[in-house]
Amino acid sequence: MTTAAPAGRRVRRLRPETRWAYIFMVPWLVGLLVFQLGPMIASLALSFADYDLISAPRFTGLDNYARMLEDDKVARAVGNTALYTALHVPLAVVLALVLALVLNRITGRAAGAFRTIFYLPSMTPYVAVGVLFLFLLNGQAGMVNDFLALFGISGPQWTTDPDWILPGIVLMSLWNLGSTTIILFAALRNVPRELAEAAMIDGAGPWQRFRSVTLPMISSALFFVVIINTITSLQMFDQVYTMFFGNQIAQQSSGDAALFYVVYLFQQAFQFLHMGYASALAWLLFLVIAVITLIQVKVGNRLVYYEAEEHAG
Amino acid sequence: MTTTLHPAEPAVQAPAAARGGGDGTADTAARGTRKVFFLTILAAASALFLYPFVWLVVASLKPRDRTFADPFLPWPRPFAPGNYAAVFEAAPVLTWLVNSLVVGIAAALAVTLSSAFVAFGFAYFRFPGRGLLFGSVLATMMLPGAVTLVPTYLIWNSVGLTGTQVPLWAANLFGSAFYIFLLRQFLLGVPRYVFEAARVDGASYFDLFWRIALPLSRPALIIAFIFELKASWFELMKPLIYLQDPGLYTLPRGLKAIVDTFYQGGDPKWEIVLAASVITTLPLMVIFFIGQRYFVEGIATTGRRG
């Protein structure tokens, strides 16, 4: 080995390093094949078949997709999920932005303490959040309606009136603003003070300073929280399932008013064992999320102001 | 925290004085009023965020027929701490707590170590296909879990591990895109000569990972560990899918069973549902207060939703 020509030694010196590099990649590669790529391809294949775990999968072509178009429950689930997302995302992002802006105006320990308080609800497991809001939103005696009664408003039956179930879920979702607020607050912290000061000296009012200085400087964070909130909204499951599914009484009283897309997917797969149909539902969700992400990235590239150093880094 | 914040205060004063043209007292008063205004908003918001917790804890300590009574009274009247004893009699909550801890620690430990292992590979080596492989890491971050739900179940079913807790953590042995990304970014910040010096001293590549990269990335490892512990503690869908035996349930799955049994139906036992909710939430709160710094840092720097 030691007698090899310089060129040969160079090759040999690189090789073990490359081999070691691939050894470090092994867990990822195995996981990618077994738990990501493999299942994706398998679920695409299954989406063209009937499979109930008992008899062998039977190829049915596009039947599952055709059935989705005619399935009223799919329409209902898509409608509920879309409406929830359309309500939750703007409300959550705007409220979190307001909180972050106010947090940014105070200094010292107080800001940290408030930030902790805002994040606390996000440390509550979703099942417990669902349970808590079953009580808080109770139409007869819940705290939310007791609170509204203080202002002479007689609150709706949030957990049983089909027209009010979705608004109730949106209300519940706004309790979990913590992480969005922290991300936006961190972005606001990074806005150089000199910029706002320069604008102030130039005579810009508070609104103008916000529009022309602050907003562009935090646009990438803002854009990011919109994407993340949208993607998680589309996959809403835990809280809703806890509140309205899993036992006969809850399911009957809510009808389909709380039927979210992933809830329906879960039911099809693991309650009715329609593995093929559930896979088709999963692929539709995947495509929708992929398209939304692409659109948001495209639009974002036009709207978002990136600092030059962000590109360099 | 405070040390970084205080030097900023004179900077706020400077333009105010420049604008006010010298007369500082009016400006100071206006600033004081504004500060009171902002603090009031934050206090009101805090009350809205905190009061549901207060209600939950208070209601869990009241007798059943008083659950909804005095909603704005911040202490239990009458006091019924026996609800908590009743929970442990009604369901194997202690077993569920232990299960959640075991599964959570296994999941967090597995994902932290395997992700660090892969992240070191990405950060240290130059090798053919690295760009493509790293692209696959970034791409899977966007993949919604629902897509792989059914086939993943079929995999665990085919090896006979449905009905056990293994599917709740074992996939974590292969790293997770988000943590690989986080740890790689962290390791890229470690100067290369640190590793090269160890190489010269005869350390193997595995030594570089185990003896240098791991200890140096401690803060990032802690972030990965507590994020995954939290994610595992939240998880409802996997236990719903994989666990049938109530003796194997984790806390969220157990709480769901308690809701289904005691919230509705002929004989609702609200106090049990509420006390079980408190028991499910409390351990995470403790972890949060211990590791608070890391949570806030992790969310702020990586943008991960907690």
Side-chain angles (χ1 to χ4, degrees):
Chain A
M1 259 178 86
T2 43
T3 53
R9 209 163 73 211
R10 196 182 149 72
V11 170
R12 227 165 284 160
R13 219 185 63 200
L14 271 174
R15 261 206 194 130
E17 193 181 311
T18 309
R19 207 181 320 132
W20 268 95
Y22 288 125
I23 289 173
F24 279 98
M25 292 298 122
V26 164
W28 175 250
L29 276 172
V30 173
L32 186 68
L33 290 178
V34 177
F35 290 106
Q36 313 269 2
L37 279 182
M40 269 190 82
I41 295 163
S43 89
L44 184 62
L46 270 177
S47 77
F48 299 110
D50 262 355
Y51 185 45
D52 60 0
L53 290 182
I54 298 152
S55 41
R58 196 168 49 86
F59 181 74
T60 55
L62 288 168
D63 279 7
N64 285 329
Y65 291 94
R67 192 173 138 203
M68 267 160 60
L69 291 175
E70 288 161 14
D71 189 340
D72 290 341
K73 293 228 174 197
V74 169
R76 191 68 203 271
V78 168
N80 286 341
T81 309
L83 182 58
Y84 168 77
T85 306
L87 290 171
H88 166 81
V89 177
L91 281 172
V93 171
V94 168
L95 281 175
L97 180 60
V98 170
L99 286 179
L101 282 167
V102 178
L103 269 181
N104 199 36
R105 296 303 296 270
I106 61 163
T107 44
R109 269 175 200 284
F114 283 121
R115 187 174 54 177
T116 304
I117 291 173
F118 296 161
Y119 188 67
L120 268 185
S122 306
M123 288 307 290
T124 314
Y126 289 140
V127 183
V129 173
V131 170
L132 177 56
F133 275 82
L134 268 180
F135 285 90
L136 297 183
L137 292 171
N138 184 291
Q140 275 94 44
M143 198 187 70
V144 171
N145 280 358
D146 284 337
F147 184 72
L148 291 175
L150 295 179
F151 304 94
I153 303 165
S154 126
Q157 303 290 316
W158 299 98
T159 55
T160 49
D161 181 346
D163 291 337
W164 283 98
I165 283 180
L166 200 70
I169 295 170
V170 173
L171 195 66
M172 169 176 68
S173 76
L174 295 180
W175 193 49
N176 281 46
L177 284 177
S179 4
T180 308
T181 310
I182 289 180
I183 295 170
L184 293 176
F185 179 50
L188 284 171
R189 276 283 174 82
N190 287 334
V191 177
R193 251 173 215 285
E194 310 86 64
L195 279 182
E197 282 159 16
M200 209 175 193
I201 290 163
D202 287 346
W207 172 247
Q208 234 182 329
R209 285 203 303 272
F210 174 70
R211 266 296 322 262
S212 325
V213 179
T214 313
L215 212 51
M217 291 300 287
I218 62 163
S219 55
S220 65
L222 211 49
F223 170 62
F224 179 79
V225 295
V226 168
I227 289 193
I228 293 292
N229 274 291
T230 305
I231 292 177
T232 42
S233 295
L234 292 175
Q235 299 182 73
M236 166 69 121
F237 176 82
D238 294 359
Q239 300 95 309
V240 172
Y241 191 83
T242 302
M243 293 170 84
F244 300 108
F245 297 91
N247 72 77
Q248 285 299 319
I249 300 165
Q251 222 148 322
Q252 274 160 13
S253 63
S254 69
D256 288 339
L259 188 68
F260 276 62
Y261 194 83
V262 175
V263 172
Y264 189 55
L265 197 166
F266 175 85
Q267 290 180 329
Q268 284 296 331
F270 300 105
Q271 259 169 267
F272 310 130
L273 300 182
H274 296 157
M275 296 293 176
Y277 192 46
S279 298
L281 288 168
W283 264 84
L284 178 67
L285 179 69
F286 173 60
L287 291 178
V288 168
I289 288 179
V291 167
I292 288 177
T293 311
L294 271 183
I295 291 174
Q296 285 182 328
V297 169
K298 277 251 156 45
V299 174
N301 279 341
R302 223 177 312 144
L303 295 182
V304 170
Y305 166 83
Y306 288 104
E307 277 174 272
E309 59 194 70
E310 272 189 40
H311 282 298
Chain B
M1 263 215 89
T2 43
T3 48
T4 57
L5 287 175
H6 281 303
E9 276 191 273
V12 185
Q13 251 163 356
R19 191 185 43 170
D23 181 22
T25 45
D27 277 334
T28 319
R31 259 169 23 95
T33 323
R34 249 189 324 207
K35 184 148 188 179
V36 169
F37 172 69
F38 290 134
L39 284 174
T40 311
I41 294 181
L42 291 173
S46 302
L48 286 177
F49 281 115
L50 284 183
Y51 204 74
F53 286 117
V54 176
W55 186 89
L56 176 67
V57 173
V58 169
S60 76
L61 288 166
K62 291 195 287 194
R64 187 181 317 159
D65 57 344
R66 304 293 293 166
T67 300
F68 287 108
D70 323 313
F72 301 114
L73 187 73
W75 60 83
R77 195 183 60 191
F79 185 50
N83 293 345
Y84 282 85
V87 175
F88 288 100
E89 274 166 42
V93 178
L94 209 61
T95 311
W96 296 343
L97 181 73
V98 173
N99 289 344
S100 267
L101 274 175
V102 170
V103 169
I105 289 172
L109 211 58
V111 92
T112 307
L113 285 178
S114 59
S115 300
F117 188 77
V118 177
F120 172 74
F122 277 122
Y124 180 79
F125 296 102
R126 315 271 173 277
F127 56 93
R130 190 176 67 147
L132 190 72
L133 270 175
F134 198 65
S136 76
V137 172
L138 297 180
T140 54
M141 274 205 262
M142 290 309 217
L143 185 69
V147 183
T148 52
L149 201 60
V150 168
T152 308
Y153 173 82
L154 298 179
I155 292 172
W156 291 119
N157 195 35
S158 68
V159 290
L161 285 171
T162 48
T164 74
Q165 291 169 341
V166 175
L168 271 50
W169 59 270
N172 280 2
L173 287 170
F174 305 100
S176 164
F178 170 72
Y179 302 122
I180 292 175
F181 182 74
L182 171 79
L183 288 158
R184 169 193 172 262
Q185 296 303 97
F186 195 89
L187 284 172
L188 285 178
V190 176
R192 207 172 168 79
Y193 63 76
V194 176
F195 294 114
E196 299 303 351
R199 282 293 293 161
V200 171
D201 290 345
S204 74
Y205 291 112
F206 187 77
D207 286 338
L208 293 191
F209 164 68
W210 190 254
R211 298 241 195 89
I212 299 176
L214 267 193
L216 280 178
S217 43
R218 215 181 86 129
L221 292 174
I222 294 177
I223 290 178
F225 186 88
I226 57 180
F227 270 48
E228 192 61 23
L229 189 63
K230 184 198 159 191
S232 170
W233 203 277
F234 267 54
E235 182 67 53
L236 173 64
M237 202 195 269
K238 279 185 200 146
L240 278 174
I241 293 172
Y242 292 108
L243 304 178
Q244 281 86 45
D245 175 6
L248 294 176
Y249 282 1
T250 54
L251 268 177
R253 178 65 187 95
L255 180 56
K256 175 63 178 140
I258 285 184
V259 181
D260 290 344
T261 316
F262 296 120
Y263 179 71
Q264 270 145 332
D267 180 27
K269 293 194 170 112
W270 294 327
E271 75 283 9
I272 289 191
V273 179
L274 290 165
S277 301
V278 173
I279 294 169
T280 306
T281 308
L282 213 56
L284 267 189
M285 292 288 161
V286 173
I287 292 169
F288 174 65
F289 278 108
I290 296 170
Q292 207 202 115
R293 186 160 72 87
Y294 295 99
F295 268 104
V296 173
E297 227 169 79
I299 297 162
T301 55
T302 64
R304 167 83 149 194
R305 278 177 60 104

